[in-house]
Every structure is written in C-alpha cells, then in structure tokens.
Amino acid sequence: MKVVPLNGRGGSGRGSTQTKSVIAALDVGSTKVCCLIAEYLPSRSEKQQPEIKIKGMGHRAAQGIRNGVVVDIDAAEQSIRAAVDRAERTAGLTVDGVYVNVSGGRPGCTGFTAEVKLNEGQVTNAHIESALRFARARLDDPDRTILHVAPASYRLDANRGIRGPLGMYGEKLGVDVSAISVDPGPLRNLANCIDHCHLNVHGFVIAPYASGRAVLVEDERELGVTCIDMGGGTTSVSVFIEGNLVFADVVPIGGMHVTNDIARGLSTPVAHAERLKTLYGSALPSLCDDREMVPVPLVGERGRDTVTEVPKSMLTGIIQPRLEETFELIRDRMRASGFARQAGRRAVLTGGASQLTGIRELAASTLDLQVRLGYPQKVPGIPEKAKGPAFAVAGGLLDYAASPDLETVSIAETDGSRRAAGGYFSRVGRWIKDSF
C-alpha cells in the first residue's frame, strides 16, 4: 500500500533489514464505521506470524447504512470519511486503500464437487487447476458476485480429507469447494461509496469470516466451531472445519432491532431504549425482576409525566423473544446447510450485541451448543476501547490484510459481471504455487 506521511516526509529507513508496510481495515457496520491503521512486518517463514502494531483508530456512528446495505451514499460517505480521517490523524499517516467487510447483499454459501482423471497417475498443477475450473463453472451465475472460494478438501480415489494432493498418486482427483457469493448491487454501492472517499478497495472480506479470524483460536478452527457475530443491524454466522471456512451466512436481525422493540414496547425514545438495554437489559429473567423497577422516559411527554417506572421483568420480556428468534434462525440455517453436525459442539459469540447479560446462556440453550464469548486477539497499540467484541470484525480485517489464508482465495469484483477465465484462474494458479 502506498503510504504518505502527513508531514510530507518519508521515513529514513536507517538500519532496517525489513520494510514495514502499512495496512488499513474499514469496518462498515449498520451502527458504526471503524477504521484501523497498522504497521506490520511480514513473516520470515510460514510458521511465523507477522508482527502487527496499530498506529491509529477512528470510529463514527454509521449513517446511511441499514442491515449492512448502503441506503444513502452521501450519508454513508460522510461517516466513512470521518472515521478514516480520525484514524489517519491519530496514526500520522494517510492511506490510499483499505480492506472492507461485507455483511449485506444476501450472502450465501454454495458447495461444489468436481473430479478429473489422472492419466499419468500423479497429481500435477494442471490437474488441480482443471478440478477447480470444473467446480467454478457450476456457479457461473451473472446475478451473484463471488467473494471467496475455499477448497475445503481433496479426494484421491476413495481417500478423503487430503489437503495437499500435489505429487500424490491415484486414478481420480476430486475437490470439494465452498464459494461465498453476494448480490452485485449492494457490493457495487459499497465500493462506489468508498471510491467517493478517494480510497481503493484492496479486498472485500465477508464479515463472519473476518470476525472468526479475530476471536477463534487455532484448535477451535481445526476441530470445528461456529462463530456468531451479533452486530447492530445483522447477525452473521461462520463455520470453520479443519482450519477452513466452509459456511457463512447473515441474518438481517441485530442489536438495533432489540433497541427498537424496547422503544415501541415501552413508548420511549430510541436513545433511551438503547440506554435501558445497556444498563438493565438481560436475555434471561431472574427471581427479583418483578420487584426491581426501571425508570423509563416517555416519548413526547413533558413535565411531571416525563418518566414512569416499569418492572424489569417487562424489559426482559421484550428482549428475550427477539434474541430467541435470532438464534432460532441461525440454528435453522445451520441445519439447512448440512454443517450443523460437522461444526462440532462449540460456538463462539462476539459482536457488540453479544455483551448483553445472559445472552451466552440463552444461546447455549437455544442452539444446544457449548458457547463462549469471543474477544479480539491482543494486538500491540490497540486502544482500550477497541478490545471488546464490538471491534472483532475490524481486528479480523487487519489480520486478513497482514496474512491472508492461502486456502481461501478472495476473487470479488465490483462490476458484478462474469469474469474471464484467465483472470480467475491466474489467481488460482498463484494460490496453487504458494500453497504447494
């Protein structure tokens, strides 16, 4: 990425054996827009992780974005500009490009299977490219744009679960591929909005994949785990098996829907409803809820009748059904995908809405899974306020920018048109060379 110091002077680079690069992550959510700018040293080996140090951070309340989709380009542009400008001023740098999350556009995951015959018995790069080409041709849909293609596993004859088939012997090579796609219209609108801010999009990353990279540990990703990111306007889910992303989906229900339910149910302004949810809200009832009274400012009232009191059980009775509906939708989509059993018994909750009291226990009972709360991995220089679950996507975007998975090929294009085979397979070819 091109980096321009705000003072107009470049670094001296005296005595440095490795060049520090600068990466920027832009989390465009329904309730907030967050930008992180970091320096990182590329890893010297495959086993070594790159060193990342956050230099600047900026975040603003999101305007013009609803359920992960841009609904007002001018308002969304102003929010993005404000967040990026704040991050640049904090870091003392300007950036020309960002990695961006995608949570709108009806994300969907489709699986493919393809087989090729091995004429000479040994697997070559040409055989792998051919198998991926056949799998890719099965989702040549002009109405969808592919964000990620992840070869989950390979097969040689009857042997399954092979990760690196290059150089191995057999008669038939099969590949199982998971492709994540979105509607091209919302993706183009998001890219257009970022372009108006004079920023390049270095890569689109589906939101549940980014949050999974931020909060999951390596053993969880290998054994099988479900990551649930509860945002303001959407709740996204991703499944990792044997270290690979195999499923991702987004439910258009988030924390703001709970807030709006409280505002309507108690006839209080939205700002006060958010405060009530934060201070007194709970996903599960307790024994003393009927006796504990909660002050509720009434919308449009003045004078002595401005504030009334309601039992806390009434607040819980509004919050719990909406959260149960959210987890039930996730459970149903997991079962429909066929990955519910393969994902194991582990789930990780993250995102701003996951901080509600009792939500972990409610998720565990509804999903019938072992649930823990996920926090972004510690990164040097990260501000205290960015260490919570609400910043999981931004942290995952930085991690992806510094060390993208070789197994997951990001191939999103913003024009929504059919790609030329050469462009796509040149990317696949590079992935094969780097992987094997």
Side-chain angles (χ1 to χ4, degrees), residues 244-292:
N244 296 323
L245 174 71
V246 297
F247 175 74
D249 203 348
V250 176
V251 176
I253 301 176
M256 279 304 299
H257 293 80
V258 177
T259 302
N260 291 334
D261 289 346
I262 296 173
R264 294 188 182 98
L266 301 181
S267 298
T268 188
V270 174
H272 288 291
E274 180 67 25
R275 184 173 180 272
L276 289 171
K277 182 182 73 174
T278 304
L279 295 179
Y280 307 104
S282 177
L284 293 174
S286 63
L287 296 176
C288 60
D289 281 355
D290 289 330
R291 298 189 300 271
E292 183 176 352

Side-chain angles (χ1 to χ4, degrees), residues 240-422:
F240 292 83
I241 299 175
E242 295 183 352
N244 296 323
L245 174 71
V246 297
F247 175 74
D249 203 348
V250 176
V251 176
I253 301 176
M256 279 304 299
H257 293 80
V258 177
T259 302
N260 291 334
D261 289 346
I262 296 173
R264 294 188 182 98
L266 301 181
S267 298
T268 188
V270 174
H272 288 291
E274 180 67 25
R275 184 173 180 272
L276 289 171
K277 182 182 73 174
T278 304
L279 295 179
Y280 307 104
S282 177
L284 293 174
S286 63
L287 296 176
C288 60
D289 281 355
D290 289 330
R291 298 189 300 271
E292 183 176 352
M293 304 303 290
V294 176
V296 179
L298 298 178
V299 61
E301 294 285 355
R302 295 183 180 180
R304 296 181 180 179
D305 298 329
T306 301
V307 179
T308 185
E309 289 187 341
V310 300
K312 186 180 176 181
S313 58
M314 182 179 294
L315 180 63
T316 304
I318 296 174
I319 295 174
Q320 184 177 0
R322 177 65 80 172
L323 294 177
E324 286 179 342
E325 177 193 11
T326 304
F327 292 131
E328 287 170 358
L329 284 172
I330 291 174
R331 181 191 61 196
D332 294 342
R333 296 198 181 187
M334 288 280 296
R335 290 176 177 174
S337 70
F339 289 107
R341 293 185 177 180
Q342 300 180 42
R345 298 275 303 159
R346 189 73 168 170
V348 178
L349 277 182
T350 190
S354 68
Q355 302 174 84
L356 198 64
T357 303
I359 197 169
R360 174 181 178 178
E361 292 76 11
L362 181 63
S365 62
T366 306
L367 300 173
D368 192 24
L369 297 174
Q370 299 174 356
V371 179
R372 75 169 178 89
L373 296 181
Y375 292 83
Q377 299 172 6
K378 295 181 179 179
V379 179
I382 189 170
E384 188 67 29
K385 58 186 176 182
K387 295 180 179 179
F391 295 88
V393 172
L397 288 172
L398 274 187
D399 183 66
Y400 181 87
S403 56
D405 277 351
L406 296 176
E407 294 85 358
T408 304
V409 186
S410 179
I411 59 174
E413 294 184 4
T414 57
D415 60 1
S417 62
R418 294 176 180 240
R419 323 176 156 70

Side-chain angles (χ1 to χ4, degrees), residues 24-44:
L26 182 64
D27 175 12
V28 182
S30 302
T31 56
K32 77 175 187 308
V33 177
C34 176
C35 179
L36 294 178
I37 299 176
E39 281 185 348
Y40 83 104
L41 282 173
S43 57
R44 298 182 180 180

Side-chain angles (χ1 to χ4, degrees), residues 62-82:
Q63 302 291 333
I65 303 168
R66 183 180 301 166
N67 296 343
V69 177
V70 176
V71 296
D72 187 331
I73 289 183
D74 292 336
E77 177 186 341
Q78 293 301 318
S79 299
I80 294 173
R81 282 181 181 270

Side-chain angles (χ1 to χ4, degrees), residues 77-145:
E77 177 186 341
Q78 293 301 318
S79 299
I80 294 173
R81 282 181 181 270
V84 175
D85 180 69
R86 177 61 179 171
E88 289 178 336
R89 291 181 180 276
T90 306
L93 302 167
T94 61
V95 295
D96 67 347
V98 292
Y99 285 83
V100 188
N101 70 303
V102 178
S103 57
R106 298 188 304 118
C109 186
T110 308
F112 312 95
T113 299
E115 287 187 352
V116 293
K117 291 184 178 181
L118 306 177
N119 297 328
E120 298 179 359
Q122 187 176 23
V123 179
T124 64
N125 283 338
H127 293 132
I128 297 176
E129 289 185 21
S130 179
L132 291 173
R133 183 183 298 112
F134 291 149
R136 170 66 180 85
R138 299 183 63 180
L139 187 67
D140 198 5
D141 188 353
D143 297 327
R144 302 285 287 177
T145 297

